[in-house]
Amino acid sequence: MDWDKLRIFHAVADAGSLTHAGDTLHLSQSAVSRQIRALEESLGTTLFHRHARGLILTEQGEFLFDATSSMARRLDNAAARIRDSEEHVLGELKVTTAVGFGTLWLAPRLGKLYAKYPDLKIDLLLEERVLDLPMREADVAIRMKEPTQSDLIRRRLLNIRMRMYATREYLEQAGTPESISDLAPHRLICQKPDQPQVAAGARLVQEVLAQNVASTLTVNNYFGVLQGVLADVGIGVLPDYLTADHDRLVRVLPDVDSDEVPVFLAYPEELRQTRRVAAFRDFVLEEIQGYRRMQSENLTS
């Protein structure tokens, strides 16, 4: 099989359109179409079903796309390792993590990483869905549970808990609850228990809502919950890693919190020697150590 035709086939299968593939490859639609027809003739099979909305792979096309996807991943890895050097870190790194952790803890710290490696390009994918690392949907993941996929290098970073926080201004105005039953007249800011979030946080929210709180503000991510708390809207259920960066947060009901939630860093075994991955891993570990030191100092004081 002609390597160039396979490259064009892969682009078409990935885009689902001759036009979009042509734009990516800087070829005309007719040139792409000719290459696909030539590949189909050489293989003696049909690779795509054509319809008004685009192209759909046939069974034979799916089989070939699996092969070209594997080739593309290996070529990407090879190119990355060639570009990387002992002295220089560059290229794109796809990092996936939960919306809350990514927006509230990771993103504000990335300036330090860019200061050290200005040629690094980070594609930060924030979503609750677990992306497939072996299939290269992302290069590195920070997850709120231990990954179950095989062939992953994983490292436990820390344990977090969901706790209740408010500002001093809110508590001075609305009063400080002394027990969980005292939450009834307060406004609770949280995610709904049925929304995508760690199970420990959902259970804590259910426990608090059972106190028949007078008013609620529900937001579908922790960033929104934090903004509501900082605006003195009420008492929020938030992860405890936020306290290191927001000194306005005051813990409410210190004896009420969730179970521990483990946070893991993971990446495919095949990326172990990639300098971009190593640089990001070391950066995160250094920041976690700094966060732990700050926690210890706060507990001591």
Side-chain angles (χ1 to χ4, degrees):
M1 285 182 282
D2 186 289
W3 283 90
D4 198 49
K5 289 184 177 62
L6 289 176
R7 178 178 65 88
I8 293 172
F9 160 79
H10 182 79
V12 173
D14 191 46
S17 161
L18 293 172
T19 302
H20 292 155
D23 292 341
T24 301
L25 298 167
H26 305 293
L27 295 172
S28 67
Q29 180 180 335
S30 59
V32 173
S33 181
R34 283 196 303 272
Q35 294 291 334
I36 294 299
R37 282 200 304 271
L39 180 61
E40 289 178 325
E41 290 171 4
S42 69
L43 294 172
T45 190
T46 300
L47 299 173
F48 294 98
H49 293 302
R50 291 149 174 90
H51 64 93
R53 291 178 298 173
L55 302 175
I56 296 178
L57 288 165
T58 63
E59 182 179 356
Q60 293 81 7
E62 289 279 7
F63 184 77
L64 184 59
F65 185 55
D66 285 343
T68 58
S69 295
S70 177
M71 292 162 54
R73 289 194 299 273
R74 296 186 70 175
L75 287 171
D76 286 344
N77 290 338
R81 294 178 72 169
I82 290 170
R83 287 194 304 268
D84 285 348
S85 71
E86 199 63 32
E87 304 298 331
H88 204 48
V89 174
L90 72 165
E92 183 179 81
L93 184 70
K94 292 183 180 180
V95 179
T96 179
T97 190
V99 175
F101 192 84
T103 56
L104 298 172
W105 192 90
L106 180 58
R109 289 170 164 79
L110 287 178
K112 299 176 186 177
L113 182 63
Y114 282 120
K116 193 171 183 179
Y117 305 111
D119 295 327
L120 192 60
K121 299 176 182 177
I122 296 176
D123 184 6
L124 190 55
L125 309 171
L126 302 180
E127 52 183 299
E128 307 308 322
R129 181 173 67 94
V130 175
L131 300 187
D132 193 329
L133 296 185
M135 291 301 294
R136 296 300 301 278
E137 287 187 314
D139 301 316
V140 183
I142 299 176
R143 295 175 177 166
M144 306 300 121
K145 62 180 180 180
E146 184 170 6
T148 57
Q149 293 168 298
S150 60
D151 300 327
L152 291 182
I153 296 173
R154 64 206 72 194
R155 179 157 183 170
R156 192 167 187 150
L157 297 175
L158 74 162
N159 296 317
I160 62 174
R161 291 182 186 268
M162 306 302 156
R163 291 170 169 159
M164 304 184 66
Y165 298 95
T167 61
R168 291 180 180 83
E169 293 81 1
Y170 172 83
L171 295 175
E172 288 171 0
Q173 179 181 3
T176 301
E178 300 295 332
S179 68
I180 193 167
S181 60
D182 293 339
L183 292 172
H186 290 271
R187 181 172 299 107
L188 181 70
I189 311 173
C190 62
Q191 296 192 60
K192 289 183 178 179
D194 59 353
Q195 289 176 332
Q197 58 182 306
V198 294
R203 286 193 294 269
L204 177 58
V205 168
Q206 286 178 320
E207 180 183 356
V208 177
L209 289 176
Q211 307 306 311
N212 296 317
V213 293
S215 177
T216 61
L217 168 62
T218 55
V219 189
N220 65 348
N221 60 64
Y222 288 124
F223 179 79
V225 175
L226 175 64
Q227 299 312 305
V229 172
L230 294 177
D232 307 325
V233 174
I235 298 173
V237 177
L238 289 164
D240 60 1
Y241 59 74
L242 292 176
T243 56
D245 300 323
H246 297 276
D247 55 11
R248 290 188 61 214
L249 294 178
V250 176
R251 187 172 175 190
V252 177
L253 299 177
D255 57 340
V256 177
D257 57 17
S258 73
D259 295 332
E260 280 191 340
V261 179
V263 180
F264 281 86
L265 176 78
Y267 50 92
E269 172 73 34
E270 63 194 32
L271 296 182
R272 177 193 290 270
Q273 302 300 326
T274 305
R275 285 282 296 163
R276 289 166 298 142
V277 171
F280 181 81
R281 177 200 63 209
D282 295 345
F283 155 75
V284 170
L285 292 175
E286 183 177 338
E287 289 299 311
I288 290 292
Q289 289 173 355
Y291 162 75
R292 284 174 170 163
R293 283 194 300 271
M294 185 175 295
Q295 271 193 325
S296 298
E297 290 169 1
N298 290 340
L299 287 173
T300 302
S301 61

